[in-house]
Amino acid sequence: MAAENNTEAKPAENKETKTAAKKTEVWHITQRKEDKLWQVKAEGNEKATRTFTTKKEAEEYVKTLVANNKGSKVVPHKKNGAFQKK
């Protein structure tokens, strides 16, 4: 058996490019007007990721999302929709 000699050059993988391509997820915690439920929603999405009866439950859930998506950000809102300062 003869060993194959593959001399075709392969481009080097650039790990920096791969991580730069992954966008940072931004999670919004808002209250829906129609049913007063609190929702966690990724920025740019039309549908909520999940809904809750209290804001505290939504805040606890979003902690798991941030832990699973390094570099993610959370933007909490007040009942009136304004951004809430932390």
Side-chain angles (χ1 to χ4, degrees):
M1 255 191 189
E4 285 187 35
N5 188 4
N6 189 354
T7 58
E8 186 177 320
K10 294 182 183 177
E13 286 190 38
N14 187 347
K15 291 181 181 179
E16 200 171 10
T17 305
K18 284 186 177 182
T19 55
K22 187 177 180 182
K23 70 173 193 156
T24 301
E25 200 70 60
V26 179
W27 305 98
H28 290 266
I29 301 172
T30 57
Q31 188 177 41
R32 299 195 310 197
K33 292 178 183 177
E34 63 272 6
D35 57 11
K36 303 294 184 200
L37 291 176
W38 287 92
Q39 64 184 359
V40 173
K41 192 172 173 182
E43 191 168 274
N45 288 358
E46 288 184 29
K47 290 185 174 184
T49 303
R50 195 160 168 197
T51 59
F52 302 89
T53 54
T54 67
K55 186 175 183 180
K56 184 144 183 86
E57 291 172 328
E59 290 170 336
E60 290 299 317
Y61 175 72
V62 84
K63 287 179 186 178
T64 62
L65 295 175
V66 170
N68 292 331
N69 297 285
K70 300 294 181 200
S72 293
K73 298 177 184 176
V74 179
V75 180
H77 295 258
K78 297 178 184 178
K79 285 183 178 184
N80 66 2
F83 295 119
Q84 176 183 329
K85 291 183 181 181
K86 280 259 173 173

